[in-house]
Amino acid sequence: MKRFAYMLLASGLLASCQNELYNDPVKDHEVEQGAYIHGQDQTQIFLLNGDSQEATGPRIDLVKPTTAPVTIGFSVGDKAQLDAYNAKNGTSYTLLPKEMYEIASSVEIPAGKVSATVPIKLKKVTFAAGQIFALPLKLTGAGAHAIGGQSEALIVVDQATETKVLRINTGNEIATYFPEDILVPQWTMEVMVYRTNINGALAGTKFVGASDDKSEIYPVVGADGSFLRTGGTDLTLSKDIMPLEGKKWYMFSFVYDGANVSVYCNGRLVLNQPVREGDYKLGGFWLSTTRGLVRELRFYKVARTPAQIVANVWKTVDPTDPNLVAYYPMNGKKYDHATGKVTEDETQIWDWSVNGRHFTNLQGATFVQDGAKLYRFPLPATK
């Protein structure tokens, strides 16, 4: 299968500072020629581990056309620049190693045109678990004045995923129980599903022992409306707030910050509402009894930020994250924390976190491909 990079302009992933100084570059530079980074300050490129690809970085615009070609220079930033970006934006990008890319120091905008994109050649990019590479760029001017506040951009190189997913073939509940109840003052639960008919429960928590319904997390979604039962409260989401269709993949994220619950659909915030204060007591997890496909169930003992939610919508995550209570990629593989080795094993649903809270009984569920090939993420909204 021919491998190629998915390119996306990230929307809402990070707060852009581009418009702080110049909301209208053309108006502010009616006489002087200027150059600036167009749109978002981040371009995201997805490719499989070890792949090479000729790709396209950010778009550079002039404030007005010229009668002759204009060469716009730019420079590649260093680790210190990226470290500062990470500290400011709460990200943890790794500087893309020099041996993994080729990029020119300028781009030419032809006569009569006002824009050109920055080409980049990616070479055998190899990711460690959970690693995201980034390459900061900064306009240096040359043929046109670089407009302050809109002169920097980031090329983010992220790993695409090819994987099996779990097909639930039965109406029986698939569950795992913890040997002890777990107290969490905050939490984030995320689950990715595909349904021919979207209606039905997703995944949630078991509450046992001294737990009560205030510790329950029970999401149910439907084409005509959805709800989340948690904290002893039913939170309603109308189809206008969260429109859903069958035969599509969705990532649902639920976040509790100690008082309020937020709901995200494919990284978009659709609900934020107070429920209660205090710890949740977890006794286990269950998977939906509705037939369909499931990929990625993960539970954190912290409230993940909106940026973290958006950044990880279609991705696997770092299994070594100490905030993971449990992490189920549902790919028919297990992860060895001692060696970092991943091996095929479809005998159970493996917890990739350090806690080893596996689903040991599949209840007839199976790990499947997308026909003759693996499922690939990110993917179009419909197959």
Side-chain angles (χ1 to χ4, degrees), residues 90-103:
T91 52
S92 55
Y93 299 137
T94 301
L95 188 67
L96 185 64
K98 291 183 178 179
E99 65 271 17
M100 292 187 186
Y101 71 91
E102 291 179 8
I103 192 168

Side-chain angles (χ1 to χ4, degrees), residues 90-166:
T91 52
S92 55
Y93 299 137
T94 301
L95 188 67
L96 185 64
K98 291 183 178 179
E99 65 271 17
M100 292 187 186
Y101 71 91
E102 291 179 8
I103 192 168
S105 58
S106 64
V107 64
E108 182 178 278
I109 299 178
K113 303 294 183 180
V114 293
S115 66
T117 53
V118 175
I120 180 171
K121 183 177 182 179
L122 300 169
K123 303 188 298 183
K124 297 181 179 179
V125 178
T126 304
F127 301 89
Q131 189 174 45
I132 306 174
F133 291 117
L135 196 65
L137 300 179
K138 184 174 182 178
L139 298 184
T140 56
H145 170 68
I147 298 175
Q150 294 181 262
S151 62
E152 296 186 10
L154 205 66
I155 297 176
V156 177
V157 184
D158 208 343
Q159 186 173 1
T161 302
E162 286 189 325
T163 180
K164 287 185 176 181
V165 300
L166 186 73

Side-chain angles (χ1 to χ4, degrees), residues 40 54 59 78 150 153 175 179-180 191 194 211 213 229-230 255 284 291 305 309 331 336:
Q40 298 291 332
E54 292 186 3
R59 186 177 119 189
D78 56 15
Q150 294 181 262
E180 75 289 335
V191 58
Y194 175 96
S211 299
D213 63 349
R229 181 181 300 143
T230 191
V255 182
R291 291 171 175 83
T305 67
I309 295 293
N331 54 6
D336 187 333

